[in-house]
Amino acid sequence: MTDNDQLLRGLLDRTAVISDLSQAHAVLSWDENTYMPPGAAEARGQQMATLETVTHERLTDPVLGELVEGLEAAGLPDDSVEAATVRQARRDIDRATKLPVELVEALGKHAARARAVWARARQEQDFATFAPELERMVELKRQEAEALGYDDHPYDALHDLYEPGSTAARLRAVFDPLRRETVELVRAIGESGRAIDDGVLRQAYDEADQERFALDTVTAFGYDLEHGRLDRTVHPFAMALGMHDVRITTRYQGHYLNAALFGTMHEAGHALYEQGISSDYYRTPLESTVSLGVHESQSRLWENLVGRSHAFWEGAYPRLQRTFPGQLRAMPLDDFYAAINRVEPSFIRVEADEVTYNLHVMLRFELELGLIGGDLTVRDLPAAWNDFMTDALGITPPNDALGVLQDVHWSIGLFGYFPTYTLGNLMSVQLFEAALAAHPELPREIRGGHFATLLGWLRENVHRHGARYLPADLLKRATGSDLDAAPYLAYLRRKYAALYRLG
Amino acid sequence: MTDNDQLLRGLLDRTAVISDLSQAHAVLSWDENTYMPPGAAEARGQQMATLETVTHERLTDPVLGELVEGLEAAGLPDDSVEAATVRQARRDIDRATKLPVELVEALGKHAARARAVWARARQEQDFATFAPELERMVELKRQEAEALGYDDHPYDALHDLYEPGSTAARLRAVFDPLRRETVELVRAIGESGRAIDDGVLRQAYDEADQERFALDTVTAFGYDLEHGRLDRTVHPFAMALGMHDVRITTRYQGHYLNAALFGTMHEAGHALYEQGISSDYYRTPLESTVSLGVHESQSRLWENLVGRSHAFWEGAYPRLQRTFPGQLRAMPLDDFYAAINRVEPSFIRVEADEVTYNLHVMLRFELELGLIGGDLTVRDLPAAWNDFMTDALGITPPNDALGVLQDVHWSIGLFGYFPTYTLGNLMSVQLFEAALAAHPELPREIRGGHFATLLGWLRENVHRHGARYLPADLLKRATGSDLDAAPYLAYLRRKYAALYRLG
C-alpha cells in the first residue's frame, strides 16, 4: 500500500463507524415517528442525544482530522472518487468542529423552546409572543454563520449546509426572473376566466383503497419493497436508514385524494434517490445524497413531471376509476387531469399548486435573507410578508396563522433551507428534459405504465453518484447546463396555457 | 460531596451512556424482528455490531473499572442501593472484560455457522452433520467457562450469566425431587383413563378477533400501551427498549387458539415485569431485570396461574364466547377449561403442557451438564436424549428432529439457559401463593376480571426492584422462602387431581 492508500484506509475505517452510528440514529428516529409508544418520548430523546454525542466524538477525533489533512495535502486527482471522499469527510468534520459546543447547545435548547412558543402563537394567531423567540433565533443563526465562515453574505454559510456550493447571489440570479415571470403567469391564469372545479378530489375515498393504489403506483415507479416499506403517519416523510433501507410514510385523508396520491409519489421520489446510490459508497462519506435541492428534484420529478402529467393518467386513470368506480366512473380523464392541476393563489405553502409554489418559497428567501443580513427586523416581518403576498399573488393573509406563522422552520433554526424546494422544482424539469432528449420514447412508456427507462436514466445520471459531485457539477454532467429557471418556466407556460387556454 | 459520592457520580455518568447505547441496540433489534425490510439485514447486522463495539469500549474503559474498584473498597453498606449498583456494574464489566476478544469472536462466528448447520440437520433429521459443530461449540463454551471462572462445576460459570448466584448443585437439589414426583404424576394421569378432547381449540378462529381478545385481556392485566405495543411476528417475544418502552409480539394461527391466547399472556407477563421497574433506577445498572428465571416466573404466573385457572375463565369465558359464538356457544366452561389444561406426553418442549414441561427442561439440564462437565460425548447425546424421554415420559422420539435436534439453543451456544424455564415455573407458584396469602381476595378479583391487587403485589415485591437484589434474595424477601419445588408440585397435584379425577 502507498502512503495515500494507508491514509485512505484509516479514513474509511473511521467513517464506516460514523456511518453505522448515523444509521442507528435514523432507525431510532424512524421508530419515534411511527410506532414508538407515547410514553417513551423522553427516553428516546436521551438515547438519540447519546448517539449524537458518541458520533460527535468520532467526528472530532484528532486522528480523523489528521488523516483528512494528510489526504488533502496528497494531491489526489481532483475528479477522483478519493478526492470526493476527502472533500465530503472535510465537510462533515467542519460541521462538527467549527461550531462551539456552547452555541450548538444554545441552538438546540432555544429551538425546543421557540418551537413550543411558535406552536402556541400560530394557534392563537399572535405573532407578538413569538417575536422575541425569533429574534433570539436569528441572533444565534448569525453567530452560527460567523462560526462557519463565508465569503460574501452570512446567509451563504447557512444555505451551504443544505445546498453545497450554492449562495444567495446565485439564488438571486435565478430567482429574479423566475419571480417576475411566475407572477405574470399567475396573473394570466387569473384573467383567463376559466374556472377548474376540483370537487371530484374532495369526495369520500376509502383509505385502504387509497393505500393500495398509491403503493401499486410507486412500486411501478420502481420503489423497492425489499429495501423499503410504506407506513402511515400524520406528517409524511421519506427516511433512509442506510441505502439498503429507505422507508416512506403517507397520510390518508378520507375526503381528499391528493394527500395520499401525490404525497406518496413525492416521498417515493425521495426514496428512489436514496435506494439508487451506488453500493460502492456503502459506509463511506459518499453514501449520502448530495443536497436537499437535488433530493427535492427527485421527489418533484415523480410527483409533478410524471404524476401530474397527462401521459401518466392516460395509463393510470382507468385503474383509478376501477378502484373508485362510485366517485370516478362518470368523470372524464381531462376533467380529472384539470382538477389535479388547478391553479389558485392561496395562503399556505404546503397546499400550493405547481405554479404558485415557488412564489411562497421566494417570499421566505427574501425575508430570511433580510433577517440574517440585518436589513429586516423581526418586528417588520409580518408586514413584509403580507406585502410580498399582495404583490406576488394578489391576496393578503387575513391573519398571521395564514401568513408568517404558518411554517415551523424558522422556530427551529432552519434558515437557508426553503430555497432548496424551488431549486428542486427547477432541477426536476432540467433533469426530466435531459432524460427526454436521451429517450424520446419516455412519454409513450409513461402512458403505458412503464418507468424503467426513466428510472434507469436517473439512476445513471443522478442517484448512483451519492455525494460524489457537488450539486452544480452533478447537474452539469447530467444535463449539460447550469441551474436555470427558463426550462421550468417554459414547462409551466406550455402546460398551463393548454389547461387555461391562454393566448 | 464525599469521595464516595464523587465516585458514584462518575460511575453513574458512564453507565447512563452505556444504558442509552444498549437501549438503542434494542430498538434496532426490535425493528429487525418486526418491520425491517428483508434487504436491510446485512447492513443492520453491521449497525448492531458497531453499537456493540462502542458499548464494549465504554464498558472496558479503565476509568470505569477504577471507579468500581474504588467503590468496592469503600465499604458501602451491604444492603444499600449503592452497593447493589456497584455489584451490578461489576457483573457487567466482568462479562465484558473476562472473555478474550478472540474467544468472543470465535463464539460469534461459530454460532452463525452452527445455527445454519443445525437448521438443515433438523430439517433432514440428520444429527451426524450437526455433531461436529456441536462438539466445537461445547469446546468453546468450556473455554468460556474457564475464562469466566467458577468454584465447583464449569456449568456454574455459564448458568450464572442467566441466573446470578444459582449453581448446578442447587439446581440438582431442587430438580431431583421435582423430576421424581412429576414422573409419578404423569403416570397417574396416564393411568386415570380420563381422556380430554381439545378439539374445541382447533377450529377456525378469525385472527383479528383473536388479536382483539388477547389485547383486551393483557391490558386488563395491566399491560400499559402508553409504554408498550403489540405487533405480530412469526416468533413471539417481549422486548424492553428501556423501562418506558416494553413491546410484545404474538402470532395468530387461524386454526389453533392457544398460540395467540396464552402466548400473548406469556409475553405480557414478561412485559409487566419490565414496565414495573422503579424509575429511580432509570439509566443505572439496576434498571434491568434480575434474571431469566425471575423473568419467566412473571410470564408463567400470568399465563398459567392466572390464564389457565378456572377462576379466570369463570369471568372471561363469556367474553370469549361472545367473540367466537359459532365455535364456543355450545361448549360448557368446564369442558373448555379441561381442553386448555389437557396433559399429554409429547416430544416437543414448546408444545408441552404445565405438567410435562419441566421434564423437558430437566432432560436438557442433565445432558448439557454432562457435555460441559465432560461426562457425556456429543456422539452419545441422541441415545441419552431418547433414554431420558422413554424413562420420564414413556415415549421415544421416532427421529432426532422430534428429539435432540428440536431446539436452536445449543447451536448458538446457549448452555445453562434451559433451567431458567423451570426456575420460572417453580417461582411463579411460590410468588403467587405469597400474593394469595397477603390477599385472600385474589381469586374473587380474578373471577371478576380485576387484576390490580395481584399486579400491585408483584410490582411491590418483584418488579420495582429491577436488579437490586440477587434472585435468591428477591424470592426470600417476597415469599419468606428459598427456591422450592414443593409448592409447584402441590399446585399441580391439586389442579390435575381434580381435572383427571385422581384418587
Side-chain angles (χ1 to χ4, degrees):
Chain A
M1 288 210 293
T2 67
D3 287 356
N4 285 352
D5 287 344
Q6 278 187 327
L7 291 174
L8 197 65
R9 170 59 54 93
L11 173 68
L12 291 176
D13 283 350
R14 282 163 178 79
T15 53
V17 169
I18 291 166
S19 159
D20 292 334
L21 292 171
S22 306
Q23 292 177 12
H25 189 274
V27 177
L28 270 61
S29 176
W30 179 84
D31 182 75
E32 182 183 37
N33 283 288
T34 52
Y35 296 124
M36 186 186 77
E42 197 178 322
R44 179 57 51 85
Q46 187 63 62
Q47 295 152 9
M48 291 173 73
T50 289
L51 275 182
E52 286 155 24
T53 303
V54 170
T55 308
H56 189 265
E57 283 172 14
R58 301 275 171 163
L59 264 176
T60 56
D61 178 354
V63 176
L64 179 61
E66 286 158 23
L67 288 164
V68 170
E69 274 167 37
L71 286 159
E72 285 169 339
L76 297 168
D78 248 12
D79 195 38
S80 63
V81 169
E82 291 74 19
T85 303
V86 174
R87 186 199 71 225
Q88 189 64 24
R90 164 61 66 202
R91 279 185 62 87
D92 294 339
I93 293 171
D94 281 355
R95 281 191 194 197
T97 52
K98 279 193 172 176
L99 299 186
V101 174
E102 307 76 52
L103 179 58
V104 174
E105 282 179 5
L107 277 162
K109 272 195 186 157
H110 189 63
R113 176 188 161 81
R115 183 189 185 136
V117 174
W118 162 79
R120 212 170 41 244
R122 183 172 71 156
Q123 195 165 5
E124 297 173 5
Q125 306 178 4
D126 174 19
F127 182 77
T129 60
F130 178 54
E133 310 300 333
L134 183 56
E135 273 164 13
R136 169 79 179 136
M137 182 55 84
V138 169
E139 175 50 35
L140 289 169
K141 296 304 285 187
R142 290 170 62 149
Q143 289 176 27
E144 181 180 341
E146 294 307 319
L148 292 169
Y150 54 87
D151 291 330
D152 185 18
H153 193 289
Y155 189 81
D156 298 345
L158 305 176
H159 178 52
D160 184 84
L161 295 174
Y162 311 113
E163 200 67 21
S166 181
T167 63
R170 287 193 196 199
L171 288 174
R172 201 178 266 299
V174 177
F175 283 6
D176 280 350
L178 178 66
R179 174 175 173 182
R180 208 167 43 240
E181 302 195 33
T182 303
V183 167
E184 271 179 33
L185 180 59
V186 172
R187 193 160 302 149
I189 288 171
E191 291 167 357
S192 72
R194 169 149 158 81
I196 290 175
D197 178 4
D198 70 350
V200 60
L201 304 170
R202 299 175 189 277
Q203 306 178 70
Y205 288 96
D206 178 77
E207 299 190 9
D209 289 336
Q210 288 190 53
E211 182 168 26
R212 206 173 49 250
F213 185 88
L215 193 58
D216 286 349
T217 300
V218 299
T219 52
F221 286 174
Y223 178 59
D224 172 11
L225 293 174
E226 270 290 298
H227 298 92
R229 50 180 290 118
L230 172 66
D231 295 273
R232 298 180 175 211
T233 54
V234 176
H235 300 288
F237 62 87
M239 190 182 287
L241 288 60
M243 63 172 69
H244 302 102
D245 188 356
V246 189
R247 308 184 187 182
I248 60 176
T249 70
T250 302
R251 73 165 181 277
Y252 302 90
Q253 298 179 318
H255 284 80
Y256 189 42
L257 198 54
N258 275 28
L261 204 54
F262 298 104
T264 310
M265 294 185 202
H266 182 95
E267 302 307 338
H270 282 303
L272 285 167
Y273 182 10
E274 305 250 13
Q275 285 188 335
I277 295 171
S278 167
S279 59
D280 292 352
Y281 301 150
Y282 173 54
R283 299 178 85 220
T284 81
L286 302 182
E287 72 181 342
S288 65
T289 57
V290 69
S291 76
L292 291 190
V294 175
H295 227 310
E296 190 75 3
S297 78
Q298 299 307 295
S299 58
R300 289 303 204 172
L301 188 150
W302 290 99
E303 176 193 356
N304 288 341
L305 279 295
V306 176
R308 282 192 168 87
S309 72
H310 201 278
F312 173 75
W313 287 107
E314 288 171 46
Y317 191 58
R319 182 163 62 86
L320 191 68
Q321 284 180 308
R322 283 195 301 277
T323 308
F324 299 110
Q327 298 89 332
L328 299 178
R329 199 189 302 109
M331 166 73 48
L333 167 62
D334 283 351
D335 291 353
F336 176 80
Y337 172 72
I340 62 172
N341 284 295
R342 179 170 181 260
V343 175
E344 168 112 70
S346 63
F347 297 117
I348 300 295
R349 174 183 58 85
V350 297
E351 296 167 3
D353 54 78
E354 257 184 319
V355 177
T356 58
Y357 188 90
N358 294 314
L359 292 171
H360 290 268
V361 171
M362 289 185 280
L363 154 63
R364 286 153 181 79
F365 167 65
E366 286 300 331
L367 300 188
E368 62 185 14
L369 198 61
L371 290 171
I372 297 298
D375 309 313
L376 176 67
T377 64
V378 166
R379 164 199 293 262
D380 294 332
L381 194 60
W385 183 289
N386 293 349
D387 287 350
F388 189 110
M389 286 295 290
T390 311
D391 278 3
L393 285 164
I395 56 176
T396 309
N399 61 61
D400 289 334
L402 291 172
V404 68
L405 285 173
Q406 69 184 265
D407 297 307
V408 69
H409 298 58
W410 291 340
S411 77
I412 54 174
L414 291 178
F415 286 80
Y417 185 110
F418 280 119
T420 65
Y421 293 131
T422 285
L423 292 178
N425 285 334
L426 303 187
M427 287 191 277
S428 74
V429 171
Q430 291 187 267
L431 290 166
F432 189 78
E433 296 196 343
L436 198 58
H439 299 287
E441 70 277 22
L442 276 184
R444 181 165 45 79
E445 292 193 0
I446 290 173
R447 210 169 285 124
H450 304 299
F451 306 95
T453 305
L454 175 58
L455 181 60
W457 189 91
L458 293 168
R459 286 266 189 268
E460 175 65 22
N461 290 281
V462 179
H463 302 174
R464 72 183 172 95
H465 296 303
R468 168 87 167 78
Y469 302 107
L470 287 172
D473 299 334
L474 184 77
L475 186 68
K476 184 87 174 192
R477 291 175 59 97
T479 68
S481 306
D482 295 323
L483 181 71
D484 186 359
Y488 190 78
L489 284 163
Y491 155 75
L492 286 187
R493 277 193 222 100
R494 247 186 349 260
K495 178 170 177 177
Y496 290 92
L499 255 174
Y500 282 90
R501 296 165 197 157
L502 306 181
Chain B
M1 286 210 295
T2 67
D3 287 355
N4 284 352
D5 287 344
Q6 278 187 327
L7 290 174
L8 198 66
R9 170 59 54 95
L11 172 69
L12 290 175
D13 283 349
R14 283 164 178 78
T15 53
V17 169
I18 292 167
S19 159
D20 292 335
L21 292 170
S22 306
Q23 291 178 12
H25 189 275
V27 178
L28 269 62
S29 175
W30 179 85
D31 181 75
E32 181 183 38
N33 283 289
T34 52
Y35 296 124
M36 185 186 77
E42 198 178 322
R44 178 58 50 84
Q46 186 64 61
Q47 294 152 10
M48 292 172 73
T50 290
L51 276 182
E52 286 154 25
T53 303
V54 169
T55 308
H56 188 266
E57 283 172 14
R58 302 272 169 164
L59 263 175
T60 57
D61 178 354
V63 177
L64 179 62
E66 285 159 23
L67 288 164
V68 170
E69 275 168 37
L71 286 160
E72 284 169 339
L76 297 168
D78 248 11
D79 196 39
S80 65
V81 170
E82 292 73 20
T85 302
V86 174
R87 186 200 71 223
Q88 188 65 23
R90 163 60 66 200
R91 278 185 63 87
D92 295 340
I93 293 171
D94 282 355
R95 280 192 194 197
T97 51
K98 279 192 172 176
L99 299 187
V101 174
E102 307 76 49
L103 179 58
V104 173
E105 283 180 2
L107 277 163
K109 272 195 185 157
H110 189 61
R113 175 188 163 81
R115 182 190 185 134
V117 173
W118 163 78
R120 212 170 42 244
R122 182 172 71 157
Q123 194 165 5
E124 298 174 2
Q125 305 178 2
D126 175 18
F127 182 76
T129 60
F130 179 54
E133 309 301 333
L134 183 56
E135 274 165 11
R136 170 80 179 137
M137 182 55 84
V138 169
E139 176 51 35
L140 289 169
K141 295 305 286 187
R142 291 171 61 150
Q143 289 177 28
E144 182 181 341
E146 294 306 320
L148 291 169
Y150 55 87
D151 291 330
D152 184 18
H153 194 289
Y155 189 81
D156 297 345
L158 305 176
H159 178 52
D160 184 83
L161 295 173
Y162 310 114
E163 200 68 20
S166 182
T167 62
R170 287 193 195 198
L171 288 175
R172 201 176 268 298
V174 176
F175 283 5
D176 280 349
L178 178 64
R179 174 176 172 183
R180 210 168 40 240
E181 302 195 32
T182 304
V183 167
E184 270 178 35
L185 180 58
V186 172
R187 194 160 301 151
I189 288 171
E191 291 167 357
S192 72
R194 167 146 158 84
I196 289 174
D197 179 5
D198 70 349
V200 59
L201 303 171
R202 298 174 189 280
Q203 305 177 72
Y205 287 96
D206 178 77
E207 298 190 9
D209 289 336
Q210 287 190 53
E211 182 168 26
R212 206 173 50 250
F213 185 87
L215 193 58
D216 286 349
T217 300
V218 300
T219 52
F221 286 174
Y223 179 59
D224 171 11
L225 293 174
E226 271 290 298
H227 297 92
R229 50 179 291 117
L230 173 66
D231 295 273
R232 299 182 174 209
T233 54
V234 175
H235 300 289
F237 62 86
M239 191 182 287
L241 288 60
M243 65 172 68
H244 302 102
D245 187 356
V246 188
R247 308 184 187 183
I248 60 175
T249 71
T250 303
R251 72 166 182 278
Y252 302 90
Q253 298 179 319
H255 284 79
Y256 189 42
L257 198 53
N258 275 30
L261 203 53
F262 298 103
T264 311
M265 295 185 203
H266 182 94
E267 302 307 338
H270 281 303
L272 284 167
Y273 182 10
E274 306 250 13
Q275 285 187 336
I277 295 172
S278 167
S279 59
D280 292 352
Y281 300 151
Y282 174 53
R283 297 178 86 220
T284 81
L286 301 183
E287 72 181 341
S288 65
T289 57
V290 69
S291 76
L292 292 189
V294 175
H295 228 310
E296 190 75 3
S297 78
Q298 299 307 296
S299 57
R300 288 302 204 174
L301 188 151
W302 290 99
E303 176 193 356
N304 288 339
L305 280 294
V306 176
R308 283 193 168 89
S309 73
H310 202 277
F312 173 75
W313 287 107
E314 287 171 46
Y317 190 59
R319 182 163 62 85
L320 190 68
Q321 284 180 309
R322 283 196 300 276
T323 308
F324 300 110
Q327 298 90 330
L328 299 178
R329 199 189 301 108
M331 166 75 47
L333 167 62
D334 283 350
D335 291 353
F336 177 79
Y337 172 72
I340 61 172
N341 284 296
R342 178 169 181 260
V343 175
E344 168 112 68
S346 64
F347 298 117
I348 300 295
R349 173 183 58 86
V350 296
E351 296 168 4
D353 54 78
E354 258 184 317
V355 178
T356 59
Y357 188 91
N358 294 314
L359 292 172
H360 291 268
V361 171
M362 289 185 279
L363 155 62
R364 287 154 180 77
F365 167 65
E366 286 300 330
L367 300 187
E368 62 186 14
L369 197 62
L371 289 171
I372 298 297
D375 309 312
L376 176 67
T377 65
V378 167
R379 167 200 290 262
D380 294 331
L381 194 60
W385 183 289
N386 293 350
D387 287 350
F388 189 111
M389 286 295 290
T390 311
D391 278 2
L393 284 163
I395 56 175
T396 310
N399 61 61
D400 289 334
L402 291 172
V404 68
L405 284 173
Q406 71 184 262
D407 296 306
V408 69
H409 299 55
W410 290 341
S411 78
I412 54 175
L414 291 178
F415 285 81
Y417 184 109
F418 280 118
T420 65
Y421 293 130
T422 285
L423 292 177
N425 285 333
L426 302 186
M427 287 190 277
S428 74
V429 171
Q430 290 188 266
L431 290 165
F432 189 78
E433 297 195 344
L436 198 57
H439 300 286
E441 70 276 22
L442 277 183
R444 181 165 44 80
E445 292 193 0
I446 290 173
R447 209 170 285 125
H450 304 298
F451 306 95
T453 305
L454 176 58
L455 180 61
W457 189 91
L458 292 168
R459 287 265 190 268
E460 176 64 22
N461 290 281
V462 180
H463 302 174
R464 72 182 172 95
H465 296 304
R468 167 87 166 80
Y469 302 107
L470 287 172
D473 299 335
L474 184 77
L475 186 68
K476 185 88 174 191
R477 290 175 59 98
T479 68
S481 305
D482 296 321
L483 180 70
D484 186 358
Y488 190 76
L489 284 164
Y491 156 74
L492 287 187
R493 276 192 222 101
R494 245 185 352 259
K495 178 169 176 177
Y496 290 93
L499 254 173
Y500 283 90
R501 297 164 197 157
L502 307 179

